[in-house]
Each structure stands twice: as structure tokens, then as C-alpha cells.
Amino acid sequence: MGLPVRKSKVAPPPACPLSEVLSLLRGAWAPNVVWQLSGEARRFGELRHDMPKISARVLSARLRELESRGLVTRRVLRTSPPSAEYALTPLGRELLPAIDAIANVGRKLIAEWETLPRRGR
């Protein structure tokens, strides 16, 4: 039998801000959903139309996750049939410049890769 584990008397280190922000956007499609909501509030069907390659199941999961993290709000509309509209919160809007910067680097990388000679030709 081993020795018992003692509690640490040292306070845990502060969380890494970069890791915290990146964890907000974890999961496939999360940055895309945030980007699509940057213009205006959108209904579920509109988001599916905006991102045709995402499945309804994944979109629903991403919207729930982003809502639970405080990046997206969900507002139920009094329509028949009932519908919901999703919008970015102020915190969600703060992510847009970072996502835009990452997208710009991605555009540069794609342009660079397109100029490289292809192997096997």
C-alpha cells in the first residue's frame, strides 16, 4: 500500500489565456459557426444553408456548446412552427478579429502551397 497523497499548499497556477481562448473554439466547425453569425442573427436552417457540408447533428452540437460557453445566444421565435435564432454575444464578437487573423494566414498558406511544384508529376 502506498503513501497517501497530501494536498498541495501552493495555489494552482493561473490558467493560460491562449489555452482558454482556444478551448472556446474547440470542436469541428465551431470557428465557422462563429464566423457565420458575425453578420447578423441566423436561424438554424439559414446556418445549414450557409454551411452545406455540416450535418444537422454537428451544427446542433456546436450551437449548444457555443451557447454553454457564453459565445452565442439562442432566442426562441414565436412562429408556427416554433423556431430559434442564434446570435453572437459581446464575448463571441471579441473572437472575430482573431478568427479573421487566422483566416488571413490560412489564405497566405494556401497561396504559398499552390505555387509549390507538385510531387509525382
Side-chain angles (χ1 to χ4, degrees):
M1 188 151 111
L3 296 173
V5 177
R6 298 177 294 186
K7 286 189 177 182
S8 175
K9 296 178 182 173
V10 178
C16 172
L18 181 60
S19 296
E20 291 298 317
V21 169
L22 292 177
S23 74
L24 290 175
L25 294 174
R26 73 174 179 244
W29 296 97
N32 302 72
V33 172
V34 170
W35 188 257
Q36 291 298 329
L37 292 172
S38 67
E40 61 184 345
R42 307 287 285 161
R43 294 187 310 271
F44 185 87
E46 293 170 330
L47 288 169
R48 282 289 315 274
H49 184 266
D50 295 340
M51 298 179 289
K53 293 183 180 181
I54 191 172
S55 70
R57 180 179 176 191
V58 171
L59 177 58
S60 181
R62 290 306 151 260
L63 287 167
R64 279 194 306 270
E65 287 173 14
L66 293 169
E67 184 181 9
S68 72
R69 294 181 185 141
L71 302 176
V72 170
T73 59
R74 180 179 186 267
R75 183 173 67 103
V76 177
L77 303 173
R78 296 179 185 209
T79 59
S80 180
S83 184
E85 190 174 73
Y86 299 90
L88 289 178
T89 64
L91 180 60
R93 291 209 163 279
E94 287 189 41
L95 289 171
L96 294 174
I99 293 172
D100 189 42
I102 292 169
N104 284 334
V105 172
R107 287 184 202 100
K108 290 176 184 175
L109 285 172
I110 290 169
E112 178 88 16
W113 293 335
E114 289 175 348
T115 63
L116 295 176
R118 298 207 182 222
R119 293 182 185 176
R121 287 189 179 180

